Amino acid sequence: MIHTGSTTEIPVHLLFRDAPEPAPVRLRPAVVARRADADGKVPRGQGAGQRARSAVPRVDPELVERPARVLPGLVGVLAGVCGVAGCAVTSWWAGVLPPPVAQALGPAAHAGAAGLGPAQWAAYAGAGVLGLFGFGGLARGRTGRAWVLDLFGRYRGTVRRTGLMWINPLLLRRRVDVRLRHWRGEPLRAADRSGVALRVTLLVVWRVRDTARAALGVEDHEAYLRACVEAALVRVPVAAPGAGQGAVEAAQDALTRLVAADTAPVGLEVFAVRPVRVEYAPEVAAAMHRRRIAALDAQHRASVLGSVVDSVEDTVTRLTMRGLVELDDYERKVLVKDLTVAFCAGRGEAGP
């Protein structure tokens, strides 16, 4: 007996009893456990037949694309030129200019020669670091490409600018393609509404919307997109070859919604998932071909039989209405039979 979530045990001898007064048996209540949710709480009104909602992939909420701090490329060029000039001035100061340069300058090359001391080495180091930072931070931004900057494992911003710019050379750069892209993969396994195995070639139109999540939120966003497409094909029945336009569009919309919902948390934007080629799997292609041929043959036979019956009916009606013949029921049946055989034989000989 079930009452308010608890059950009691009923002894078997009570169901098939012969004695008028059975011995009393003490019943032990047993509580029926309910399915708990993710937090360990039991929801009210949840039946055993209800399905749990599918888990939605989540990434770090703080991992959101933001613009990085960069400087114009002219700043890097000036810093690099200043570093090279500083090295040249330090070499003149220490009197270690190359022989061709010293001969070209003449006595002025040794006018301020002080030798290589701590001050000269410090000047060399400062000028070299300035030159390396100036020229090493130069980068060229292109249309449709972005840089994801990472410093010691921490996201520092995204660069979507174009042209020459200067980026801190200590930052790790990850190039991400943000153009509108399409992907046409190999034939994938699918099924129609009847469960018949199909092989589908899809065209996916997509782009990277959030570069931070696409580059850092998942190991390979392109491989993740392919996996989501394969998972959507398992859940959505595809229109069989030869289906109407409405069924094809319904399957396309369902695939697009599922793939877009699965890839949105990792910064991808999916516009369309279109089946461009649908064919039966090799193991069922021969059987479906025979089935289609049989259906066409049956349709052809039905049309031939209908036209023969109409011709026979028209012939008999004309003969009787014009008074050419007077037929009773038996003679009418014989005439109909002979005409049907003659018309069927004629159409069989004239057919392909």
Side-chain angles (χ1 to χ4, degrees), residues 23-47:
V25 179
R26 187 175 182 179
L27 303 180
R28 296 178 300 170
V31 179
V32 178
R34 296 184 180 181
R35 184 179 300 177
D37 56 6
D39 299 333
K41 299 180 180 180
V42 178
R44 295 182 178 179
Q46 180 180 359

Side-chain angles (χ1 to χ4, degrees), residues 134-335:
F135 289 125
L138 293 177
R140 182 180 61 176
R142 298 180 180 180
T143 304
R145 304 292 179 88
W147 295 96
V148 177
L149 305 182
D150 179 10
L151 179 61
F152 304 121
R154 184 178 181 182
Y155 173 63
R156 304 300 296 177
T158 301
V159 180
R160 288 180 178 260
R161 295 175 55 179
T162 58
L164 188 63
M165 68 190 75
W166 184 86
I167 304 175
N168 187 353
L170 298 179
L171 297 176
L172 178 63
R173 308 173 190 177
R174 300 172 184 262
R175 185 180 293 273
V176 179
D177 192 345
V178 295
R179 296 174 295 181
L180 186 65
R181 304 171 63 183
H182 70 279
W183 168 65
R184 179 174 179 174
E186 298 295 330
L188 302 175
R189 288 185 171 271
D192 61 359
R193 295 185 179 276
S194 302
V196 179
L198 303 174
R199 294 183 69 86
V200 185
T201 302
L202 297 176
L203 176 66
V204 184
V205 182
W206 63 286
R207 71 176 179 182
V208 176
R209 179 176 51 86
D210 193 315
T211 57
R213 293 190 173 185
L216 304 176
V218 66
E219 183 177 0
D220 187 352
H221 60 274
E222 296 184 6
Y224 182 79
L225 175 63
R226 296 188 184 95
C228 291
V229 171
E230 294 180 3
L233 281 177
V234 176
R235 294 178 286 176
V236 176
V238 181
Q245 186 67 22
V248 175
E249 293 181 355
Q252 173 182 329
D253 295 341
L255 287 173
T256 303
R257 288 195 302 269
L258 285 178
V259 177
D262 290 341
T263 57
V266 296
L268 303 183
E269 186 175 7
V270 177
F271 297 96
V273 181
R274 301 189 182 98
V276 296
R277 184 177 181 181
V278 181
E279 59 185 4
Y280 290 106
E283 58 269 16
V284 299
M288 296 304 297
H289 180 70
R290 292 192 298 268
R291 179 180 177 182
R292 186 178 296 273
I293 294 299
L296 292 176
D297 184 66
Q299 184 179 3
H300 175 68
R301 290 177 181 273
S303 63
V304 170
L305 181 60
S307 62
V308 167
V309 171
D310 293 339
S311 300
V312 171
E313 181 182 4
D314 184 62
T315 302
V316 174
T317 302
R318 287 185 179 184
L319 290 174
T320 55
M321 290 183 64
R322 293 183 181 182
L324 299 178
V325 293
E326 294 182 359
L327 304 173
D328 55 9
D329 292 341
Y330 177 76
E331 293 175 343
R332 182 185 295 273
K333 293 179 180 180
V334 172
L335 179 60

